[in-house]
Amino acid sequence: MPPPPPPATSTPAPTAEPLTRTGNLRPRLNSFVGREPELDAIRSELHRARLVTLTGPGGSGKTRLAEEAAAGLPQAWLVELAPLDRPEAVPGAVVSALGLRQTVLMATELSAPQEDPLTLLVEYCAPRSQLLILDNCEHVIEATARLAETLLTHCPGLTILATSREPLGVPGESVRPVEPLLPDQAHRLFTERATAVRPDAADLVRRDSDAVAEICRRLDGLPLAIELAAARLRLLTPRQIADRLDDRFRLLTSGSRTVLPRQQTLRAVVDWSWDLLDERERTVLREASVFAGGWDLAAAEAVCTGPAAELIGALVDKSLIVAAPGEGAAVCGAMRYRMLETIHEYAVERAAEAPEQRAEAERRHRAWAGALVAEAEPVLRSVGQLPWIARLETELDNIRAALHRSVEDGDEAAAGALAVNMGWFWWLRNYRREGADWADRILRLGAALDAAPLPADPRARCSLMETLDPREALLSAPDGEAGHPLHALRMELRMLHILLVSEIEARNRVPDERMGEYLSRVRAYFEKGGPQAARMPGLVWPLTSFFMGDRVDARDILDTAVANCRTYGGDWEMGVTLMFRTHMAVDSPGGMQGVDDDLAELRVLSRRVGDRWLRAQVYSAAGETAMARGRLEEAKGEYEEALQLAYEVGAYTETPFLIARLAEIAYRAGDRSAAITALDEASEAADRYSVGDSRAFVLLLRAHVALDDEETASARELLEEARVETARGTPPPQFVVMLDAVEAMVTVAESGPAHGLPKLAATVKEAVDKQCADLVVATLVDVTAALLADLGDLPRAARLLAAAGHWRGHDVRSMPEAARAERAESAARTGLGPARYEEEHARGVTLTPADVLDELDEALRAGVTGP
């Protein structure tokens, strides 16, 4: 806007009175807390720019910051625009603040008409160096902008510091947003203001610092809101204040009586901003309140009516919406928008006044969230996964809000589709408990919808859903609800729920009969094959057999699943099913049949797909295979590759185990220092990501190390801690077996081999019964043979060593079990002599696991107690 020309004629400005004054800033009645860097920056900016505008929402401390920045400067004049109700009154308010009005009256002795205020200001300010603080400009923004441009154009020594909820929009303006107080600054402000209303406030704050931190955070670090909250300490404790912030507009009403009414309560502060909006801006603010945690422009265009970019921009300018560049690798790195919590709560209240409009905005929000996760779902398993993982992390609060509203509105189809499409993300990024909870809620919703019309009251609806059992809903449904239009979606939800809870609930809890029937029904749906069994979550159906504790031929089940994926699945699905089969082969008896062929195909598939998680799983499976064969260096390389990929994709539940495996390799290679360092790292990662199985594994390895150091008491303590963690988690059978084996060796260290032998013999039987891998059984038999040699039963020791060696095939023993076996073998050769040793060895090669169990039973019956 061009400035108006200066008046053609004017009366010389009076000089006597104004020249004797150096400004009108008043001494402050309370302390100024924090913002030291901002003060320095504003003062520096005033030397570079002639118009500096401090912007921010109401209550952010703009006025006080401007006054503090101007304190001590000569000729600093505060012009309070808040009381004005007419734009044309702005120049007159500046005249009054400068004290020019009474000076003119005295100089003219009331004999001449008063000068035009703009003319008077230009002529007075033109020859002087002054700082004008134009405070609270937002409601007279256009008049203030015209005045500022005119004065700056014609008064070269003038500098203006403005405060406003939006910029003035004048050329050369430097806009400085006033950010919320930092947490420590907000805490200090609360404490200082609280002390003014309650003498013992410092003690209250110190005793309940967490509540104070919550107050400051939920009030967005806004000084006015924090001061109003501190004033409530006359009546409430910090915790009581924090607990009542959901109703903050009724709570925070005790402001100073000497300020304007719009600054006395939190609601009045925000009402002032609302009243300055036009109807289109109000509509978009209501609609944007359906977002949770922020949004980008594309989301705003999908959810809000009107020209979203224009209206969101207007609300950013008016400090009701905060704009900041998106962080991380989220798809486009676009600008993100959000409301401060206080503004959001206000907007939600305003939206409630237009229920139809809000319902439509919520419907569009659900549709946007559903489309987002549907687009992301297949990409999460591809080479382009990282930006989409970051995108879903960024939008997680919005997705949760869409899920919640879908359930609240009884929209089972929308909620179910959202959950199924989020399933892999929940698994990958360790949101498994949350995902399981959502799947359970949606299944309960389906049961409630089948049972009766949903109650209108949300609380009654929630109570009804809590009383229903989704398992019984399936088991009692005619024809297994096969005729229901959402049957396929529900079955996918059930399989997703089974998968997610499998990592939460302890595996050793025996399912009840109805649970067994439920798992069988779900498995049967996917076991018949087809496309639904060759995509997530249906392709994990073979795992239900293990969850049920079935004694089944896992190889046959997985062969069936692999064949189905070859027909109906893609490369990723094929890779996952092959990976299941590879792990099964490594962990089962049978000499790892087909492992090398599956690994070779897995390497090709995983490279073609590009999914870092799948590639990490392939490297990990190869590491497991190498470990089983005693090839430690090869295993180390595979695990290191797996760990790097797990870090890249953020597979947090995988990393503790991989680090612990590297610790085990270092331990078996004799590098104690590297082993301890890696165990510490694995322990910290397991604690950070709450991976109980990895915690148990780390404790088991530490118990091994303590035994080697002859710290028997420490080994016993670590063993007990490992058992506690094992009971909380979902360890595989071979881990429980190895835990029992270490307990047997601790007993040996405590009481001698005769007391440890029965426990170790029972552990060998357990390993055989649970169909543990050949390596696991062979290792246990080696350790048992060493005990028998210590007890003097050399013939039996020779036979067991031969049996274990035969089962192991060409694979080598690992330390420290290898050292024990070698000592036992040497003792047997020496004690028996070459001929007898070879005879017993030849007998041992023919022994089956069942024969070895018979040998151990016989040794225990014979009461072997030592030489």
Side-chain angles (χ1 to χ4, degrees):
M1 71 189 79
T9 59
S10 60
T11 302
T15 59
E17 177 63 20
L19 287 176
T20 63
R21 301 177 62 198
T22 59
N24 67 343
L25 298 186
R26 299 157 298 193
R28 305 303 301 179
L29 302 181
N30 54 21
S31 60
F32 182 73
V33 177
R35 298 207 190 275
E36 289 80 7
E38 291 96 322
L39 284 175
D40 293 340
I42 293 168
R43 288 166 180 163
S44 176
E45 192 69 17
L46 288 171
H47 289 292
R48 290 193 297 268
R50 295 181 58 215
L51 172 59
V52 177
T53 302
L54 307 184
T55 62
S60 59
K62 302 182 294 294
T63 298
R64 185 64 185 273
L65 183 59
E67 290 181 330
E68 292 293 331
L73 297 179
Q75 294 295 319
W77 301 87
L78 174 66
V79 182
E80 298 184 56
L81 302 180
L84 303 186
D85 56 6
R86 295 178 300 111
E88 56 269 23
V90 172
V94 180
V95 168
S96 297
L98 290 171
L100 298 181
R101 194 174 301 280
Q102 61 257 44
T103 303
V104 170
L105 289 174
M106 289 187 296
T108 59
E109 296 180 349
L110 300 178
S111 59
Q114 294 187 35
E115 285 283 348
D116 171 64
L118 183 57
T119 302
L120 187 60
L121 286 173
V122 169
E123 293 189 355
Y124 175 74
C125 295
R128 294 175 171 81
S129 295
Q130 292 180 312
L131 173 66
L132 282 184
I133 303 173
L134 302 180
D135 187 37
N136 289 299
C137 305
E138 57 274 354
H139 62 304
V140 286
I141 191 78
E142 293 187 5
T144 305
R146 287 193 296 269
L147 174 67
E149 186 169 2
T150 300
L151 292 179
L152 292 171
T153 301
H154 297 97
C155 308
L158 181 67
T159 301
I160 295 176
L161 176 59
T163 75
S164 177
R165 301 188 189 189
E166 62 179 305
L168 299 188
V170 173
E173 178 183 28
S174 173
V175 179
R176 296 195 65 87
V178 176
E179 303 292 341
L181 291 173
L182 296 174
D184 63 320
Q185 297 172 340
H187 198 285
R188 283 168 48 205
L189 178 64
F190 184 92
T191 303
E192 290 201 19
R193 297 301 185 261
T195 303
V197 301
R198 183 166 179 159
D200 63 344
D203 290 336
L204 278 175
V205 169
R206 185 168 50 252
R207 289 198 304 267
D208 209 351
S209 60
D210 288 345
V212 174
E214 181 181 343
I215 291 167
C216 296
R217 175 182 56 79
R218 294 195 59 197
L219 293 177
D220 309 301
L222 294 176
L224 176 61
I226 291 169
E227 289 179 336
L228 292 172
R232 279 297 182 190
L233 277 186
R234 296 186 187 98
L235 177 65
L236 304 171
T237 67
R239 173 44 55 198
Q240 288 175 310
I241 295 172
D243 291 343
R244 285 164 172 76
L245 285 181
D246 285 342
D247 196 10
R248 66 190 65 196
F249 293 114
R250 284 204 297 177
L251 177 70
L252 305 181
T253 58
S254 302
S256 169
R257 294 189 178 94
T258 62
V259 299
L260 291 172
R262 69 177 181 84
Q263 293 176 322
Q264 291 180 3
T265 71
L266 188 61
R267 179 178 295 281
V269 169
V270 189
D271 278 341
W272 174 260
S273 294
W274 174 265
D275 291 341
L276 296 176
L277 302 180
D278 64 31
E279 192 53 43
R280 293 194 312 161
E281 292 166 343
R282 292 178 183 179
T283 296
V284 167
L285 191 65
R286 291 189 194 100
E287 292 170 334
S289 72
V290 304
F291 287 108
W295 65 93
D296 60 16
L297 186 56
E301 290 171 335
V303 173
C304 301
T305 54
E310 173 189 336
L311 295 172
I312 293 292
L315 293 170
V316 170
D317 286 343
K318 292 176 167 64
S319 302
L320 289 169
I321 289 176
V322 178
E327 297 180 359
V331 180
C332 300
M335 191 72 78
R336 296 282 299 172
Y337 307 97
R338 65 182 177 88
M339 296 182 201
L340 298 180
E341 186 174 334
T342 295
I343 303 300
H344 183 262
E345 184 173 325
Y346 184 89
V348 168
E349 286 191 9
R350 287 294 187 174
E353 298 170 358
E356 293 184 3
Q357 184 184 88
R358 178 173 179 83
E360 281 300 306
E362 289 180 347
R363 182 192 59 76
R364 293 191 295 270
H365 180 267
R366 287 202 301 273
W368 164 77
L372 175 70
V373 299
E375 183 180 1
E377 201 274 339
V379 191
L380 294 178
R381 298 185 293 276
S382 73
V383 69
Q385 65 197 156
L386 295 185
W388 279 96
I389 289 172
R391 179 75 180 275
L392 291 187
E393 288 281 1
T394 299
E395 301 293 2
L396 199 50
D397 285 339
N398 276 312
I399 295 165
R400 288 165 177 152
L403 278 164
H404 175 75
R405 290 173 185 141
S406 298
V407 173
E408 285 287 296
D409 291 348
D411 191 343
E412 182 188 1
L418 271 168
V420 168
N421 284 327
M422 282 293 290
W424 182 244
F425 174 85
W426 285 330
W427 173 271
L428 178 67
R429 300 289 283 184
N430 199 24
Y431 293 102
R432 295 170 186 179
R433 184 174 297 279
E434 177 182 347
D437 288 344
W438 280 118
D440 180 69
R441 287 181 64 187
I442 298 165
L443 290 170
R444 290 177 184 276
L445 171 63
L449 289 169
D450 289 349
L454 287 180
D457 179 55
R459 286 176 296 185
R461 190 181 313 153
C462 183
S463 297
L464 172 63
M465 289 167 56
E466 287 299 319
T467 64
L468 297 172
D469 184 348
R471 295 180 303 174
E472 290 299 324
L474 174 64
L475 295 176
S476 61
D479 301 323
E481 73 176 20
H484 195 283
L486 295 180
H487 177 57
L489 177 63
R490 288 179 177 182
M491 295 308 288
E492 288 191 315
L493 266 178
R494 289 174 176 122
M495 183 56 73
L496 175 62
H497 184 258
I498 290 167
L499 172 66
L500 294 171
V501 299
S502 72
E503 290 294 310
I504 300 169
E505 298 176 356
R507 186 174 299 177
N508 58 0
R509 293 175 191 157
V510 179
D512 58 39
E513 182 179 348
R514 295 296 277 176
M515 184 62 179
E517 292 178 24
Y518 175 75
L519 289 172
S520 296
R521 186 77 63 87
V522 175
R523 184 177 87 179
Y525 176 82
F526 293 99
E527 190 175 16
K528 62 189 178 185
Q532 71 273 13
R535 62 173 181 258
M536 279 295 293
L539 64 81
V540 303
W541 71 264
L543 301 183
T544 57
S545 298
F546 308 119
F547 302 154
M548 294 164 62
D550 283 358
R551 291 299 187 85
V552 294
D553 189 336
R555 181 80 192 195
D556 287 347
I557 288 177
L558 287 167
D559 286 348
T560 299
V562 167
N564 186 67
C565 276
R566 288 196 191 279
T567 302
Y568 296 104
D571 285 346
W572 186 89
E573 291 76 15
M574 187 66 212
V576 170
T577 312
L578 280 174
M579 183 262 296
F580 288 159
R581 191 164 74 180
T582 301
H583 281 295
M584 178 276 301
V586 173
D587 292 339
S588 301
M592 297 191 288
Q593 177 186 354
V595 162
D596 293 323
D597 289 341
D598 281 355
L599 278 175
E601 185 176 0
L602 273 169
R603 291 188 192 276
V604 173
L605 288 172
S606 64
R607 283 194 294 267
R608 193 155 65 212
V609 172
D611 172 19
R612 293 159 184 81
W613 176 85
L614 182 59
R615 290 172 60 201
Q617 291 295 316
V618 173
Y619 280 117
S620 178
E624 293 290 298
T625 303
M627 284 283 283
R629 292 168 171 165
R631 303 172 187 173
L632 297 187
E633 278 303 311
E634 180 184 335
K636 179 182 178 184
E638 301 284 5
Y639 283 130
E640 286 174 342
E641 292 285 352
L643 182 61
Q644 178 60 40
L645 289 164
Y647 280 138
E648 287 181 19
V649 78
Y652 301 126
T653 57
E654 312 288 346
T655 55
F657 172 78
L658 294 170
I659 299 168
R661 273 304 204 192
L662 289 169
E664 181 183 6
I665 291 170
Y667 165 70
R668 293 189 179 281
D671 190 346
R672 177 189 173 85
S673 175
I676 295 299
T677 299
L679 284 174
D680 290 342
E681 185 181 351
S683 181
E684 191 274 332
D687 289 341
R688 185 189 317 144
Y689 302 121
S690 301
V691 187
D693 287 355
S694 293
R695 272 196 295 258
F697 186 38
V698 169
L699 290 165
L700 177 63
L701 290 175
R702 291 191 190 277
H704 270 292
V705 174
L707 271 178
D708 289 350
D709 293 341
E710 298 183 355
E711 297 176 356
T712 308
S714 176
R716 171 65 70 182
E717 183 178 337
L718 290 165
L719 185 68
E720 294 307 318
E721 290 180 33
R723 285 208 180 278
V724 171
E725 288 295 340
T726 301
R728 294 172 179 160
T730 57
Q734 59 265 29
F735 178 81
V736 178
V737 165
M738 296 311 295
L739 195 62
D740 292 340
V742 173
E743 181 173 8
M745 296 310 295
V746 171
T747 301
V748 170
E750 292 170 336
S751 308
H755 290 85
L757 180 61
K759 290 188 176 182
L760 199 53
T763 303
V764 174
K765 184 178 187 306
E766 181 184 10
V768 173
D769 289 345
K770 290 184 175 179
Q771 299 184 342
C772 289
D774 295 340
L775 171 70
V776 173
V777 179
T779 299
L780 292 172
V781 171
D782 277 338
V783 175
T784 309
L787 281 190
L788 288 168
D790 290 341
L791 291 167
D793 191 348
L794 297 179
R796 203 181 313 274
R799 293 195 295 274
L800 295 191
L801 287 169
H806 178 66
W807 300 339
R808 187 176 280 105
H810 298 294
D811 300 331
V812 299
R813 294 183 175 103
S814 296
M815 297 296 288
E817 292 84 5
R820 297 193 189 101
E822 289 167 7
R823 286 195 300 271
E825 184 177 339
S826 177
R829 283 182 183 275
T830 301
L832 296 175
R836 176 73 186 280
Y837 177 82
E838 290 301 329
E839 178 185 344
E840 298 296 346
H841 185 274
R843 289 178 58 193
V845 168
T846 66
L847 297 179
T848 65
D851 294 332
V852 167
L853 295 179
D854 289 341
E855 288 273 4
L856 293 177
D857 286 342
E858 185 178 334
L860 293 174
R861 285 195 301 270
V864 177
T865 58

